[in-house]
Amino acid sequence: MAVPDLVDAANSAASADEFLENAYLTYIVPFATRFDPREAFRQVPGSVESSISAVEQRDQLFFDETVDVYLILRAPYSAEPVLRAHLGRLVLTLDTHIINSPAADRESPPASEIVHDAIIENPEDAVVLADETTDEGPRHAYAIWKVPVFLARPRMRLHLPIAVFSGAASLRVGSETAASTKARDAGYMQSCVPSTMNLLESFATDPLLGGVVPRLSAQRVSKVAPLTKPKDELRRISGRESLKLKIYPVLHTRVRFSRPNTAPPSASMIAVLEVDFTPYFDCEAALDKLSLSVTDGTVEDLNAQDGMRLPLSCVAHDHLTFLYRLALQKRDVAPKNLTRELVITIEVLVLVRPEGEPNPCTPRLIMSWPTSIDFTPPVNPGFGQLKSAPIQRSHKPSQLSISGGVHSQPLVSPSVIRPDALPALEAATAPPPVAPLPDFGITVTFTGPPGPVPLGEEFTWSVFVVNRSKAADAIPPPPSAPASVLAQHAAATAARKLMLVPIPRRRLHARPDMRTARFSMAGNPSLANPNLNSSTTTPLLPSGTKSSRNDPLIATAVLDESDVHAAQRAAAPDSPDLVCLSADVRVGPLAPGACATVELRFVALREGIVGLEAVRVLDLGSQEHVDVRELPLVVVKA
């Protein structure tokens, strides 16, 4: 009865060897988003392999995209039960790496990071296709698996990144070999093997045993390792080495938080979410979903405008800003911990090839990340605002001195305070001359619009930046030079990275409820005589007496210093005339003698002649900055 088992084991081993020798693994990324392998591989008449070669594939991918990778195993044609049995013993893996392109000035290998690794479970559940019966060559069967891969963003710094897909297939052959060996040796002793030593051979001549010869093999008492189940042996199937595709980010996001200036102060927060589309795609992108959720909190959408309703059609270089009001849920008992988790989810549909065209490609990008937010109110909510009356001290000003014991200099010229003072006193009390600013090494030219701009519409300024450093042509200092000289030369010859920060011009308007009305002592006798009641009115003048307003010998009323200080503290900042839409404008890196051109985008909110207070040029390397105040003016018309 053992002969059929031996024949089946031999046939199975032969079929496994044939499967390993003729099998081949490859993988593709189809261009169409909704790809059906049964339909796609039957469109071209002939073999399935020619249909696979005719499938249109992706040439670039995007971060935050879930792409479908199809593993295709070509095997010799056999009956479906036999093929399914071989597929059930397969081990299929797919790894996805993000690597940087090799740089010409670096000898080290480029950075790499794995973003996805998958092992296919139940490999026997595959889509199986077979070639048609032909006499031209051997017939093959094809097993197809679909593997979704999410292309997450790596933590390393990206430089022309590439997505590398590496697949592998192996066949378990250990269990089959062990089964055939066991079936061949079952019930039989191994021939040509000498017998082991008899440990009880010395008792064979003992008369008390009555002619019985005892026997104890040495293998029964020797130390033998326990017999364990042999592990399955994996034999690698040949296939494609790797698949490399370029990958780019479509958008970058940034969220900022600020507290609303309300009275009384509240624990709510304003979230400013900025979405910036990169220039690495040349098609239309639809912003489908944008949601914020707070644990035990509420989110109020402040973008209730016709032009900000989702979905939004966007292209490269677009910059969008969304506002949301975050607040905690009202409870009877205030919680001790006011830190909550904010989850932001963004979904974008990239229309590489829109619907209605053959093989439409519309990959969906999903970005979701949590961040913590603290709703704890500030320790001093009234800082910078006049919430109560200022400190009053008798015979002293209402504002305390913070000059560290040094008497502050008055704002009025000494010649007015002391008209009989000597000129030397005025020269001694004059402020020291301001030292000239050091040369920044950068020339910036601003060019505004040639004519008037419409009110409420976007316009741009062209900024031309030139790095005037010439230290690259100079002779470098010797190595024995001081460290400061070497550092100065290295900073001068290095490329400079700059950032432009527009500073709006704000006006101060005194609040009407905080204005005070006081009079000088010349016009109010109650102030000249402190014994009089402050609530008394000014006495009437006799007939024929001239009023103090018409008398040239009496000066006009002036304000006290405390009134000027109170008016300044009661002043409220006005909204800016120009709003800059360029959140982060960076220039560089600029080598010595190089130049670059960037644009600043603005929107005017008031008619007339408007402008900026300054544009701050910040060196990101040395953290030095210079404020440019000679800027063009803009004429705004409705």
Side-chain angles (χ1 to χ4, degrees):
M1 298 299 294
V3 175
D5 296 338
L6 294 176
V7 174
D8 294 341
N11 294 336
S12 179
S15 61
D17 294 339
E18 183 183 1
F19 185 85
L20 286 170
E21 291 177 1
N22 300 325
Y24 185 82
L25 179 68
T26 186
Y27 31 92
I28 62 173
V29 179
F31 185 83
T33 303
R34 292 185 293 271
F35 181 78
D36 188 3
R38 295 182 182 273
E39 297 181 0
F41 297 156
R42 290 300 183 186
Q43 292 180 359
V44 179
S47 63
V48 179
E49 187 172 358
S50 60
S51 302
I52 296 174
S53 303
V55 173
E56 186 179 4
Q57 302 184 26
R58 294 279 297 272
D59 56 350
Q60 65 178 9
L61 303 175
F62 304 109
F63 283 111
D64 309 311
E65 172 190 0
T66 301
V67 62
D68 295 333
V69 182
Y70 287 85
L71 302 180
I72 304 174
L73 179 67
R74 185 191 64 189
Y77 180 79
S78 59
E80 186 172 355
V82 178
L83 181 61
R84 296 286 182 181
H86 288 312
L87 296 181
R89 292 187 286 118
L90 283 177
V91 178
L92 292 171
T93 59
L94 179 65
D95 298 338
T96 305
H97 294 77
I98 302 297
I99 64 174
N100 289 331
S101 298
D105 55 346
R106 295 184 180 179
E107 298 181 357
S108 59
S112 175
E113 183 175 339
I114 185 170
V115 296
H116 187 272
D117 55 346
I119 299 178
I120 298 179
E121 299 180 358
N122 303 324
E124 64 274 6
D125 298 337
V127 178
V128 178
L129 301 176
D131 289 335
E132 299 178 357
T133 304
T134 58
D135 298 335
E136 297 178 359
R139 191 178 178 186
H140 295 91
Y142 298 87
I144 306 170
W145 296 271
K146 175 183 176 181
V147 183
V149 177
F150 179 71
L151 301 176
R153 303 196 181 198
R155 297 184 178 180
M156 65 180 184
R157 187 174 182 179
L158 299 177
H159 173 69
L160 300 177
I162 299 175
V164 180
F165 300 93
S166 302
S170 303
L171 183 66
R172 296 190 183 96
V173 296
S175 58
E176 180 183 356
T177 305
S180 61
T181 304
K182 183 177 181 181
R184 184 175 65 251
D185 299 338
Y188 298 94
M189 295 182 61
Q190 297 182 7
S191 61
C192 301
V193 175
S195 178
T196 57
M197 180 182 63
N198 184 12
L199 298 179
L200 301 179
E201 188 176 0
S202 60
F203 297 96
T205 59
D206 192 348
L208 297 178
L209 296 179
V212 177
V213 180
R215 181 176 178 81
L216 178 61
S217 176
Q219 292 182 351
R220 299 298 183 96
V221 296
S222 61
K223 185 177 180 181
V224 179
L227 194 62
T228 58
K229 182 180 179 181
K231 295 183 179 180
D232 296 338
E233 180 184 358
L234 295 179
R235 297 184 61 181
R236 182 73 175 268
I237 297 176
S238 61
R240 185 173 185 173
E241 182 179 358
S242 62
L243 175 62
K244 298 182 180 180
L245 296 174
K246 296 181 180 180
I247 185 170
Y248 302 102
V250 173
L251 70 158
H252 299 304
T253 58
R254 182 176 62 176
V255 60
R256 295 178 295 173
F257 303 97
S258 62
R259 297 186 180 274
N261 190 8
T262 59
S266 62
S268 60
M269 302 284 288
I270 300 297
V272 182
L273 180 61
E274 298 180 359
V275 180
D276 189 10
F277 287 85
T278 64
Y280 301 116
F281 66 103
D282 54 354
C283 58
E284 183 181 358
L287 183 59
D288 281 353
K289 181 180 179 182
L290 185 59
S291 63
L292 282 75
S293 60
V294 181
T295 306
D296 298 334
T298 59
V299 179
E300 181 183 355
D301 191 356
L302 303 180
N303 308 293
Q305 298 181 6
D306 295 338
M308 300 296 292
R309 299 185 184 275
L310 300 181
L312 288 176
S313 178
C314 307
V315 294
H317 300 282
D318 280 357
H319 183 83
L320 305 178
T321 303
F322 300 90
L323 301 179
Y324 298 90
R325 184 179 181 273
L326 313 179
L328 293 175
Q329 293 181 355
K330 296 183 179 180
R331 299 182 181 274
D332 297 337
V333 179
K336 296 182 179 180
N337 187 11
L338 297 181
T339 302
R340 296 293 184 269
E341 185 181 41
L342 173 65
V343 180
I344 305 174
T345 303
I346 301 176
E347 294 187 11
V348 177
L349 191 66
V350 183
L351 305 179
V352 179
R353 184 179 294 174
E355 298 289 343
E357 299 183 9
N359 294 333
C361 180
T362 56
R364 179 173 293 273
L365 314 183
I366 299 177
M367 300 178 60
S368 181
W369 71 96
T371 181
S372 60
I373 180 173
D374 191 3
F375 288 94
T376 305
V379 178
N380 187 11
F383 179 76
Q385 300 179 7
L386 189 61
K387 297 297 181 181
S388 59
I391 301 176
Q392 298 289 342
R393 298 185 296 171
S394 59
H395 305 292
K396 291 184 179 180
S398 59
Q399 176 66 27
L400 296 179
S401 175
I402 57 174
S403 59
V406 181
H407 296 286
S408 58
Q409 296 293 337
L411 301 179
V412 186
S413 175
S415 59
V416 178
I417 299 177
R418 299 179 180 180
D420 55 346
L422 297 176
L425 178 62
E426 182 177 357
T429 57
V434 180
L437 294 176
D439 188 10
F440 197 59
I442 296 294
T443 300
V444 185
T445 304
F446 295 88
T447 305
V453 298
L455 180 64
E457 293 187 10
E458 180 181 342
F459 65 96
T460 60
W461 282 6
S462 178
V463 184
F464 182 72
V465 184
V466 181
N467 187 359
R468 294 186 290 102
S469 302
K470 299 297 183 181
D473 300 333
I475 300 176
S480 59
S484 59
V485 177
L486 295 176
Q488 184 178 4
H489 178 76
T493 56
R496 307 184 66 174
K497 297 181 181 180
L498 308 175
M499 183 171 65
L500 305 180
V501 181
I503 302 176
R505 179 185 300 171
R506 296 181 179 272
R507 301 184 304 273
L508 295 178
H509 295 281
R511 287 182 254 175
D513 55 339
M514 302 303 296
R515 294 177 181 175
T516 56
R518 297 188 182 182
F519 305 93
S520 64
M521 293 188 299
N524 194 345
S526 63
L527 296 179
N529 188 2
N531 296 326
L532 295 178
N533 189 4
S534 60
S535 62
T536 57
T537 58
T538 305
L540 298 176
L541 297 175
S543 57
T545 305
K546 294 183 180 180
S547 175
S548 61
R549 297 180 180 179
N550 299 327
D551 192 348
L553 300 179
I554 300 177
T556 57
V558 297
L559 291 179
D560 191 36
E561 292 181 0
S562 59
D563 298 339
V564 176
H565 177 70
Q568 289 290 338
R569 293 197 58 180
D574 192 10
S575 60
D577 300 333
L578 284 180
V579 176
C580 183
L581 303 180
S582 302
D584 190 3
V585 179
R586 301 196 179 191
V587 184
L590 287 179
C595 60
T597 303
V598 295
E599 290 185 353
L600 297 177
R601 300 183 293 117
F602 299 92
V603 170
L605 303 181
R606 186 179 65 87
E607 280 186 274
I609 301 177
V610 297
L612 292 177
E613 182 70 21
V615 173
R616 178 163 296 176
V617 182
L618 176 63
D619 192 344
L620 299 178
S622 61
Q623 299 300 323
E624 298 178 353
H625 70 275
V626 171
D627 292 343
V628 181
R629 300 185 181 275
E630 297 180 3
L631 301 173
L633 298 177
V634 181
V635 179
V636 182
K637 291 185 178 181

